[in-house]
Structure formats: C-alpha cells, structure tokens
Amino acid sequence: MFLQRGSRVLRKQWLTAKGMGQMAIASRPGENPSSRWFSESRRLMAVKPVFLADIGEGIVECEIIQWFVQPGARVEEFSPLCEVQSDKASVEITSRFAGVVKKLHYEAGDMAKVGKPFVDIDIEGDAQPEEVTTPAAKDSDTPGSGAPQTPITSQPKEDQASLDALVEPPAKAKGKHAGLATPAVRHLSRELKVDILDIDGTGKDGRVLKEDIYKFVKARDAKESGQPSPSPAASSVSKDTSVQTETVVPLSNTELQMFRTMTRSLSIPHFLYADEVDFSHLVDLRRRLNRVLSQGQSATGQPTKLSYLPFIIKAVSLALYQYPMLNARVDTDPQSGKPCLVHRSQHNIGIAMDTPRGLMVPVIKNVSSLNIVSIAAELNRLQAAALEGKLLPSDLTGGTITVSNVGNIGGTYVSPVIVEKEVAILGIGRLRTVPAFDETDQVIKKQVCNFSWSADHRVIAGATMARAAEVVRKMVEEPDLFMLELV
C-alpha cells in the first residue's frame, strides 16, 4: 500500500510538471506541445559548460590571452580551446568534450574565474551559436513597422565610378593564427601600445613576432612624423618640465605575484652571511670540459657549453646532505599547534631568472639525482621556456631552496630575500679578476666571486649557515671534490 501511494504521488508530480510545460508553449502555433517539452529537456542537457580548472598554487583567476576557437567551430576531445595566463605561467586549456562551440563567456584580455564556466559546448553538434542583434536590427526585422522605406535610385555611371575609386580595396587575408602570439610578444605590444590584430604577422600561419611589432611601430612613427606639428600652445604644455606629473601604471600579473610574495617574506627575520669564493680552479675545469663537449657528438638536449651555475647548484645540493634543515620549511604541528620544521627529501632548487615578463623562479627538480651535464640541460630548457613565456605551473612549484645569479647582470654583493616556504637563499655576485698572493708571496691573478646567503633566523643559527656556506665554498674552489661524490 505504501508503494502504491508513493507511485501515485510521483505520477501526480510528473503530470503537474508536464502540464506547466505545455501551458508555457501553448501560445506558439504549429508546435506539438508534448514533443516540444521533451525536445527542450534533451537540448538543455546537450549543451555542456566547460569550467576553468584549478591550476594550483591558490590561483583564483587567469587572463584569457587568446582563443583558438570561435562560436560555431567544431572541436574534438582534448582540442585546445584557449590560452590563459596566471600570475606565474601561461597554460593551454583543452576541451573535455567533442562537439560544437556555442558560447564564449570571456573575450581575450578578460580575467576568467577559476571554477566558473568559460565556454559552452554542444556535445550533440547541432546547436547554433548565440546570435547577437542590435535593437535597431530587431526593429527593422519586425513586420509591419511604421518606418517608411526609402526607394533606391540608380546613380549615374560617372558618379558610380568615382564612388568605386574611393572604396578601399579589401584587406589582405591573414593566416588562421593571425591573432596568436607568445606572452612575451603580447607584453611587448602592450608596452608599445599596439594592437596585435593590426599587425600582419610573418610567423607560421600569420603569427605575430617581435620583429613584426618593431616594424609596425617604426612605420607608425614615420607616418606620424609626416603629419602637421601640434600648435605651440599644446607643445608648450606637453614639454613643460617645471610641473610634476604622476601617471598611474597598473602592475602586471607577474608583478602582482612578486608583490604578494615579497610582502609575505617581510615576516621572515633574515640572517645575512657573505663570503668570497676563488673560482680559479673551476675556471680551468670549465674550460677543459667545454672543449670536450664542443668536440664530441652531443646527444639530444645535451648542452654544448657549460656555465658556472650548474656547478654551484650541484655544490648546494651536496651541502644539503650535511645540513638538511636548510632544505626544510617552517610549519605548525597540527597536533601540538607549535612551530616545527618539515624536512624534505628531494633537493628542488629554484633559479631566479629575469624574463620579459619579470622575475620568475623555475625549479630544477631532484638535483641530487642529476649530474652536472643534466643540470645544465634542464637549466637551458627552463631558460628557453622562460624567455618564450612557456613555463608550465609544474616548472614553478615545489622549490625547497633558491639560487639567484644576479651577478650575470652586475653587482658584487647581494642581499637576497627568502622565498616563502623556504629557509635559505643564495645570491651570486659578479665574477671578477683580482690580484692576490700565493703561498710564496708572489702576486698572481685570481678569479673571485662573492656568495651572499640569507637564512631564516627563527630556525637557522648563524653557525649552521656559515658551515653550510663553507661546504659550498670548498666544492667550488676545489672542483675535483665533485669526482669523489661520483665514487
């Protein structure tokens, strides 16, 4: 009896919902109410929204760099939909479904929210993209409108010829990727205030390159220089240097991320330690190794030339074996609620890099398992990806200690800032040649460089930092010690 009563209740609810659906569409002539009701339910389920997935690191929004599809385009599963740029990297978002694109929720340049739909896809493939019509167009399409129709009169041949001469020729067809460009190129276009769509790209399939932007700006400036100069009053206002003027410049995504990270780093009490390191023996070893690499047949991805940085990175990793607390992070014990150190087994060393988008810190993972050549190969890969703006989120996460080689730009001494979730950082100064005395008091030439360390003084004692820095110094000054680690 109970089952029969429940069945009657469910049937009554179903009939009520069906009747409401029929009443909603009864006013439309020529439609079958029952089939229309079922058709609308099926079509509603056919359009699937694609949500912007979480790409990690607590990122809540991303900038839409470019769309690879338009409404009405056919896509397959895992086909690229768009390229987004977060605070740290640019990522291509692929489709979860196969079907036809129905709607784009954002335009290029908009900020898309993580976890919100950014594109609708018709998985059945027969939905039409949303039409956008202006009110004027709707009024003109309405039958019986009171607007009078203006008759079209034929023009004389002479007038028609003159009008045709004034009509500009159609623009040259651009490639299918005419609006695509790397983040570095887009950053350059924003700095020079250039719209990428106005530039004829010379790259593959019409992609815009940096050279195209420079040529466009040069032609634009040359054209503007040929125009009449502004009035004296306007020029005097623009060139008046006696008045202080201020211009508000918003921070880029990378600059915002650096602002947040460095603000959090202010809560860490820094202990600074600097030392001078003799590179003379390492200079000779590097010269011999580069000669061997240049003469041999390098494998795919293997570098043909070594810099000093891979040796320093490996030396830091070897020091972490003796002082693992420098590879730890500060956290709170969930049971006692007291501060604690969380030791980490892998040596994931971040490398601070100056890129067209700003400061980036990609990470070389598991350095302890890599040799010098492997570290150099991974370093080259990360540097190339950073310059092209193609670093992945996985390349920028998981760091346990950081090395900043600011000396390749300039500067002898550095005061590096510790990154959050780390307790130490090494800053490398400029390599320079200085006179020095040997064991017999003879003046000789030495290649020296200053290493500047910063440690979290809440958990790292000054003596611990000094001993670890001494290990790194000995490894660099006596590079033959690397051979002992291979035995």
Side-chain angles (χ1 to χ4, degrees), residues 399-454:
T400 58
I401 190 171
T402 301
V403 174
S404 176
N405 185 21
V406 72
N408 61 353
I409 299 176
T412 304
Y413 304 98
V414 189
S415 179
V417 180
I418 302 171
V419 182
E420 188 184 24
K421 297 183 180 180
E422 298 180 11
V423 297
I425 183 174
L426 168 61
I428 304 172
R430 176 174 53 87
L431 183 66
R432 63 193 191 279
T433 303
V434 298
F437 292 98
D438 60 5
E439 294 79 2
T440 61
D441 291 337
Q442 297 296 320
V443 177
I444 60 175
K445 181 174 66 174
K446 280 189 177 182
Q447 306 284 337
V448 299
C449 178
N450 286 90
F451 282 9
S452 302
W453 295 84
S454 292

Side-chain angles (χ1 to χ4, degrees), residues 20 218 323 328 343 346 393:
M20 293 178 64
K218 184 178 180 180
Y323 301 94
H343 286 241
Q346 289 188 343

